[in-house]
Amino acid sequence: MSAAAELSAVAAADHGRIPVLDIGSYLAGNAGAAAALARAVARACEDTGFLVIADHGIPPRLVEDTFAVAARFFARPEADKLALKVGRYNIGYLPFGGQIVRHSPVNRNTKPNFSESFYITRDRDPEHPDIVNEKPLVDLNRWPPDMSEFRAAATVYYTAMESMTTRLVPVVAMALDLSPDYFAEAFAEPNCTIRLIHYPPHPNPEDNEFGFAPHTDNNFLTFLAQSALPGLEVRTAEGEWIRPPAVPGTFVVNTGAMLARYSNDRFRPTPHRVINRDGASRYAIPFFLGPNHDVVVEPVPTCVGPENPPRYEPTTYGAFTQRLLTLNFAHRRADSGATQ
């Protein structure tokens, strides 16, 4: 299918398949709000795995500042960006050509993403025990030395997002018919990442070329602030590509592989992709929420039974992440000696 034909085949935003949920009443602690929200979340996760949240409490300025510093960083000279190139744990700058998404369940991706990224994780001091002891998957952030506003904006955004997103974990537990505190230990110190992404104009992509190739996320939940330009497309179970509702000031939320494992595929991760067919650069600042690296992830009791045995062996988020980093990123494959 040509790019033009595929564009016409992408449905407009579908508010029925991807609902917009106001979470303000729940965050305020109103009686009955948690149960009602959990039912709505369960319906969305059983269908597309995507929803949109409004009245989430994140100040608009935090989102705007993060978009702004992302745009300024990606506009810097290539040498400045490459000085902060990602290392073994994917923290810092990932240049064009650095990722081929090989784990897609719906497409055999053969070309690198037509985008560049910058990864930010929990900010730690060099003296932090996890840094001193070289804990796997933990390292220092790679901040631009002459962009203090970059670190300031990203750190404030990270802190606010971690607080808001972890408050929704009890809702997910309730959606799975568990007690609200079921995941409390797993998310006591969650593994979170901000990925700043720059998608240059891409009006005529080549065959099997995407800003971000069709994939599913690896974490628990992803929270994507609405971008100024469209580009995100979601694949329904029927194979149709649709766009989430573009409601300013909201977050698009989707399920990841960890939630699929916990739910024994009751809440499957939905494939999605990005194609920037506009004539201007598109920026994205997704926030990825995951459990602690050392927590064992396995199907929960309410999602298994005699006629529904576990589909997944227990694993830790750390072990799962290590495998996918090696699979999808060129620098990790080179380090491990893996072949194409």
Side-chain angles (χ1 to χ4, degrees), residues 133-151:
N133 297 323
E134 298 185 348
K135 182 176 180 179
L137 296 171
V138 175
D139 209 343
L140 297 174
N141 280 312
R142 310 199 71 188
W143 301 113
D146 55 348
M147 281 187 72
S148 59
E149 73 278 15
F150 183 97
R151 181 174 186 171

Side-chain angles (χ1 to χ4, degrees), residues 261 296-299 312-316:
R261 284 175 170 265
V296 175
V297 178
E298 58 187 332
Y312 300 100
E313 293 293 328
T315 187
T316 64

Side-chain angles (χ1 to χ4, degrees), residues 12-20 51-52 226 243-248 250 252:
D14 191 325
H15 289 253
R17 297 300 294 271
I18 302 179
V20 179
L51 55 96
V52 175
Q226 294 276 3
R243 292 175 180 159
V247 182
T250 63
V252 179

Side-chain angles (χ1 to χ4, degrees), residues 109 114 183 245 249 334:
N109 299 318
F114 191 70
F183 295 118

